[in-house]
Short mmCIF file of all heavy atoms in Angstrom, two decimals:
data_model
loop_
_atom_site.label_atom_id
_atom_site.label_comp_id
_atom_site.label_asym_id
_atom_site.label_seq_id
_atom_site.Cartn_x
_atom_site.Cartn_y
_atom_site.Cartn_z
N MET A 87 -14.27 -16.32 56.63
CA MET A 87 -13.77 -15.36 55.69
C MET A 87 -12.64 -14.52 56.05
O MET A 87 -11.75 -14.19 55.24
CB MET A 87 -15.00 -14.53 55.30
CG MET A 87 -16.10 -15.25 54.50
SD MET A 87 -15.62 -16.19 53.12
CE MET A 87 -14.83 -15.05 52.14
N ASN A 88 -12.53 -14.18 57.45
CA ASN A 88 -11.38 -13.43 57.91
C ASN A 88 -10.16 -14.26 57.71
O ASN A 88 -9.11 -13.74 57.25
CB ASN A 88 -11.66 -13.13 59.33
CG ASN A 88 -12.56 -11.89 59.54
OD1 ASN A 88 -12.89 -11.26 58.55
ND2 ASN A 88 -13.07 -11.86 60.78
N GLN A 89 -10.15 -15.55 57.98
CA GLN A 89 -9.10 -16.45 57.70
C GLN A 89 -8.65 -16.58 56.22
O GLN A 89 -7.52 -16.45 55.86
CB GLN A 89 -9.31 -17.89 58.20
CG GLN A 89 -9.33 -17.98 59.74
CD GLN A 89 -7.98 -17.67 60.32
OE1 GLN A 89 -6.95 -18.18 59.80
NE2 GLN A 89 -7.80 -16.79 61.26
N LEU A 90 -9.66 -16.60 55.29
CA LEU A 90 -9.41 -16.62 53.95
C LEU A 90 -8.67 -15.36 53.44
O LEU A 90 -7.79 -15.33 52.70
CB LEU A 90 -10.67 -16.87 53.12
CG LEU A 90 -11.22 -18.25 52.92
CD1 LEU A 90 -12.51 -18.27 52.04
CD2 LEU A 90 -10.15 -19.27 52.44
N ASN A 91 -9.19 -14.19 53.96
CA ASN A 91 -8.56 -12.99 53.60
C ASN A 91 -7.12 -12.81 54.20
O ASN A 91 -6.36 -12.15 53.47
CB ASN A 91 -9.44 -11.83 54.17
CG ASN A 91 -10.77 -11.65 53.50
OD1 ASN A 91 -10.87 -11.96 52.29
ND2 ASN A 91 -11.80 -11.17 54.11
N THR A 92 -6.85 -13.48 55.27
CA THR A 92 -5.50 -13.40 55.82
C THR A 92 -4.57 -14.29 54.91
O THR A 92 -3.42 -13.95 54.68
CB THR A 92 -5.47 -13.93 57.21
OG1 THR A 92 -6.31 -13.00 58.06
CG2 THR A 92 -4.08 -13.96 57.81
N LEU A 93 -5.07 -15.50 54.58
CA LEU A 93 -4.28 -16.40 53.80
C LEU A 93 -4.06 -16.17 52.36
O LEU A 93 -3.01 -16.38 51.69
CB LEU A 93 -4.90 -17.85 53.97
CG LEU A 93 -4.87 -18.37 55.36
CD1 LEU A 93 -5.68 -19.69 55.42
CD2 LEU A 93 -3.45 -18.84 55.73
N PHE A 94 -5.10 -15.46 51.72
CA PHE A 94 -5.06 -15.36 50.34
C PHE A 94 -5.50 -13.94 49.97
O PHE A 94 -6.53 -13.34 50.32
CB PHE A 94 -6.06 -16.31 49.63
CG PHE A 94 -5.94 -17.70 50.09
CD1 PHE A 94 -6.91 -18.30 50.88
CD2 PHE A 94 -4.77 -18.45 49.73
CE1 PHE A 94 -6.78 -19.65 51.24
CE2 PHE A 94 -4.67 -19.71 50.13
CZ PHE A 94 -5.59 -20.39 51.02
N ARG A 95 -4.69 -13.25 49.08
CA ARG A 95 -4.98 -11.83 48.76
C ARG A 95 -5.83 -11.80 47.48
O ARG A 95 -5.80 -12.58 46.68
CB ARG A 95 -3.55 -11.15 48.48
CG ARG A 95 -2.50 -11.21 49.57
CD ARG A 95 -3.05 -10.49 50.79
NE ARG A 95 -2.11 -10.58 51.95
CZ ARG A 95 -2.39 -10.12 53.11
NH1 ARG A 95 -3.54 -9.52 53.37
NH2 ARG A 95 -1.47 -10.24 54.09
N GLY A 96 -6.51 -10.61 47.48
CA GLY A 96 -7.33 -10.36 46.32
C GLY A 96 -8.46 -11.34 46.04
O GLY A 96 -8.98 -11.89 47.04
N ASN A 97 -8.81 -11.55 44.83
CA ASN A 97 -9.73 -12.72 44.41
C ASN A 97 -11.15 -12.30 45.04
O ASN A 97 -11.83 -13.28 45.63
CB ASN A 97 -9.29 -14.05 44.75
CG ASN A 97 -8.11 -14.42 44.00
OD1 ASN A 97 -8.15 -14.87 42.81
ND2 ASN A 97 -6.90 -14.37 44.65
N GLY A 98 -11.62 -11.11 44.97
CA GLY A 98 -12.84 -10.79 45.57
C GLY A 98 -14.04 -11.49 45.01
O GLY A 98 -14.95 -11.84 45.79
N LEU A 99 -14.13 -11.74 43.70
CA LEU A 99 -15.26 -12.42 43.18
C LEU A 99 -15.25 -13.95 43.70
O LEU A 99 -16.36 -14.43 43.98
CB LEU A 99 -15.15 -12.42 41.69
CG LEU A 99 -15.34 -11.00 40.97
CD1 LEU A 99 -15.14 -11.20 39.46
CD2 LEU A 99 -16.59 -10.31 41.30
N ALA A 100 -14.14 -14.53 43.66
CA ALA A 100 -14.08 -15.95 44.17
C ALA A 100 -14.52 -15.97 45.68
O ALA A 100 -15.16 -16.82 46.05
CB ALA A 100 -12.64 -16.50 44.01
N LYS A 101 -13.96 -14.99 46.46
CA LYS A 101 -14.31 -14.95 47.89
C LYS A 101 -15.87 -14.65 48.06
O LYS A 101 -16.45 -15.18 48.94
CB LYS A 101 -13.49 -13.89 48.60
CG LYS A 101 -12.06 -14.36 48.79
CD LYS A 101 -11.24 -13.22 49.38
CE LYS A 101 -9.70 -13.63 49.56
NZ LYS A 101 -8.85 -12.48 50.01
N SER A 102 -16.43 -13.78 47.21
CA SER A 102 -17.81 -13.51 47.38
C SER A 102 -18.62 -14.75 47.07
O SER A 102 -19.69 -15.01 47.74
CB SER A 102 -18.22 -12.44 46.26
OG SER A 102 -19.54 -12.08 46.40
N ALA A 103 -18.21 -15.56 45.99
CA ALA A 103 -18.96 -16.82 45.79
C ALA A 103 -18.91 -17.74 46.95
O ALA A 103 -19.96 -18.34 47.36
CB ALA A 103 -18.37 -17.50 44.50
N VAL A 104 -17.74 -17.92 47.53
CA VAL A 104 -17.57 -18.85 48.71
C VAL A 104 -18.39 -18.31 49.93
O VAL A 104 -19.23 -19.03 50.60
CB VAL A 104 -16.14 -19.07 49.07
CG1 VAL A 104 -15.99 -19.68 50.36
CG2 VAL A 104 -15.52 -19.80 47.93
N GLN A 105 -18.33 -17.04 50.06
CA GLN A 105 -18.96 -16.45 51.25
C GLN A 105 -20.51 -16.59 51.10
O GLN A 105 -21.23 -16.84 52.12
CB GLN A 105 -18.66 -14.85 51.45
CG GLN A 105 -19.23 -14.24 52.70
CD GLN A 105 -18.94 -12.91 52.73
OE1 GLN A 105 -19.83 -11.99 52.87
NE2 GLN A 105 -17.68 -12.49 52.67
N THR A 106 -21.01 -16.44 49.95
CA THR A 106 -22.39 -16.51 49.71
C THR A 106 -22.88 -18.00 50.02
O THR A 106 -23.88 -18.19 50.69
CB THR A 106 -22.78 -16.09 48.22
OG1 THR A 106 -22.41 -14.82 47.98
CG2 THR A 106 -24.21 -16.34 47.92
N ALA A 107 -22.11 -18.91 49.53
CA ALA A 107 -22.42 -20.38 49.82
C ALA A 107 -22.44 -20.66 51.32
O ALA A 107 -23.21 -21.49 51.82
CB ALA A 107 -21.50 -21.24 49.07
N LEU A 108 -21.44 -20.12 52.02
CA LEU A 108 -21.30 -20.32 53.46
C LEU A 108 -22.58 -19.71 54.16
O LEU A 108 -23.13 -20.33 55.10
CB LEU A 108 -20.07 -19.70 54.06
CG LEU A 108 -18.74 -20.26 53.60
CD1 LEU A 108 -17.59 -19.47 54.09
CD2 LEU A 108 -18.54 -21.75 54.25
N LEU A 109 -22.93 -18.52 53.74
CA LEU A 109 -24.09 -17.89 54.45
C LEU A 109 -25.42 -18.71 54.09
O LEU A 109 -26.30 -18.89 54.87
CB LEU A 109 -24.22 -16.47 53.96
CG LEU A 109 -23.23 -15.38 54.55
CD1 LEU A 109 -23.21 -14.13 53.89
CD2 LEU A 109 -23.44 -15.32 56.03
N ASP A 110 -25.57 -19.11 52.89
CA ASP A 110 -26.71 -19.92 52.51
C ASP A 110 -26.81 -21.06 53.24
O ASP A 110 -27.86 -21.47 53.75
CB ASP A 110 -26.53 -20.32 50.97
CG ASP A 110 -27.80 -20.99 50.50
OD1 ASP A 110 -28.91 -20.77 51.03
OD2 ASP A 110 -27.72 -21.77 49.57
#
Side-chain angles (χ1 to χ4, degrees):
M87 292 308 303
N88 286 344
Q89 284 297 312
L90 280 185
N91 288 331
T92 299
L93 292 169
F94 309 112
R95 302 298 179 187
N97 294 282
L99 298 176
K101 288 175 179 175
S102 180
V104 168
Q105 185 183 124
T106 297
L108 291 171
L109 288 167
D110 183 31

